Amino acid sequence: MTETWKPAAEGVLRLPSGRLIRGRGLRRPLPAGPEPTFTLHLLGSPPPPVAWESRWLRWPDFRLPTDRDAARSALKQAWSLAPDGRVEVACGGGRGRTGTALACLAVLDGVPAEQAVSYVRRNYHPKAVETPWQRRYVKRFAAD
């Protein structure tokens, strides 16, 4: 089993199941400690290469994923890898797109969609999920 993230580390969200997911802004340096085993990049253009497994989901800043089916698949992949790996979700700043993705992961983990944004704001960052359409996306994520 891979060493997981430290639950109290900055940017690490503990989901109700115990899965740990690190949210990160790519404009900041890679945090100290073990590298991710998987990163889901949420960017409008391809990310820089990394030395570990990663997946790019086209998701422009302040917007929504360009392909909902690809987003659901990528988020399910990240969620399924989290019990045994160090999964990271990352966008430019680490709040809007990352917070939205973390809220969707919380929904996958059993948090009711109506409570997922507040769950992420309480347990990850108070300004996570920045736009009204990102909040609406999370509420509708469970129904898709």
Side-chain angles (χ1 to χ4, degrees):
M1 182 170 158
T2 304
E3 175 191 354
T4 60
W5 303 117
K6 303 290 184 217
E10 182 180 349
V12 175
L13 174 68
R14 180 186 291 277
L15 294 171
S17 66
R19 286 172 165 86
L20 300 173
I21 310 278
R22 181 170 75 186
R24 182 164 81 92
L26 295 170
R27 290 191 289 267
R28 291 188 295 281
L30 187 67
E35 292 180 339
T37 55
F38 176 81
T39 297
L40 177 57
H41 290 105
L42 313 170
L43 300 167
S45 57
V50 292
W52 52 86
E53 183 182 358
S54 67
R55 182 169 176 179
W56 169 47
L57 180 61
R58 186 183 298 274
W59 191 330
D61 202 6
F62 296 105
R63 311 269 171 141
L64 297 175
T66 59
D67 181 331
R68 284 182 179 229
D69 291 334
R72 179 168 288 282
S73 170
L75 290 164
K76 283 183 176 180
Q77 179 183 13
W79 183 81
S80 70
L81 293 170
D84 297 317
R86 292 182 302 274
V87 173
E88 172 180 80
V89 176
C91 67
R95 304 246 169 76
R97 293 168 285 181
T98 295
T100 302
L102 290 172
C104 291
L105 291 170
V107 170
L108 288 174
D109 207 63
V111 175
E114 306 78 39
Q115 297 172 20
V117 171
S118 60
Y119 180 87
V120 170
R121 287 179 173 169
R122 188 173 53 255
N123 295 291
Y124 170 67
H125 194 282
K127 294 183 179 179
V129 192
E130 295 174 318
T131 68
W133 42 92
Q134 289 172 339
R135 288 190 296 277
R136 195 168 39 249
Y137 180 80
V138 173
K139 284 185 181 178
R140 293 179 178 164
F141 184 78
D144 285 349

